[in-house]
């Protein structure tokens, strides 16, 4: 049934280079019930545009 709008997430640097993940989430249509089905992925920390793990990493760094 198509895709959601693409989101871009900044993740941990790899070999000293910035990493941006471009994620496209898929959705399906159940033909019998006419209901749209989609996965609920909690990849992004609330209020940020980065992964939960990266946000936690930065939070730990800010405590020093």
């Amino acid at each position: 049934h198509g895709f959601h709008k693409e989101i871009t997430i900044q993740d941990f640097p790899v070999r000293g280079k910035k990493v941006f993940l471009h994620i496209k989430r898929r959705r399906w249509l159940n033909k019998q019930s006419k209901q749209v089905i989609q996965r609920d992925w909690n990849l992004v920390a609330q209020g940020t545009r980065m992964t939960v793990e990266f946000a936690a990493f930065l939070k730990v760094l800010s405590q020093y």
Side-chain angles (χ1 to χ4, degrees):
H1 195 67
F3 290 90
H4 288 279
K5 183 179 173 187
E6 178 182 294
I7 61 172
T8 304
I9 300 173
Q10 183 177 356
D11 204 1
F12 292 102
V14 176
R15 296 184 182 166
K17 298 184 186 239
K18 292 181 180 180
V19 175
F20 292 93
L21 305 172
H22 299 275
I23 299 173
K24 293 182 182 179
R25 294 187 314 144
R26 180 91 167 119
R27 56 185 166 201
W28 298 269
L29 178 65
N30 183 331
K31 293 181 180 179
Q32 294 175 347
S33 67
K34 304 294 185 201
Q35 184 179 15
V36 175
I37 301 169
Q38 57 194 6
R39 291 188 179 146
D40 181 22
W41 291 9
N42 295 319
L43 292 176
V44 180
Q46 189 171 11
T48 66
R49 298 295 291 175
M50 56 188 92
T51 61
V52 175
E53 291 84 7
F54 189 54
F57 172 74
L58 291 176
K59 186 175 179 180
V60 170
L61 282 182
S62 68
Q63 293 177 357
Y64 289 106

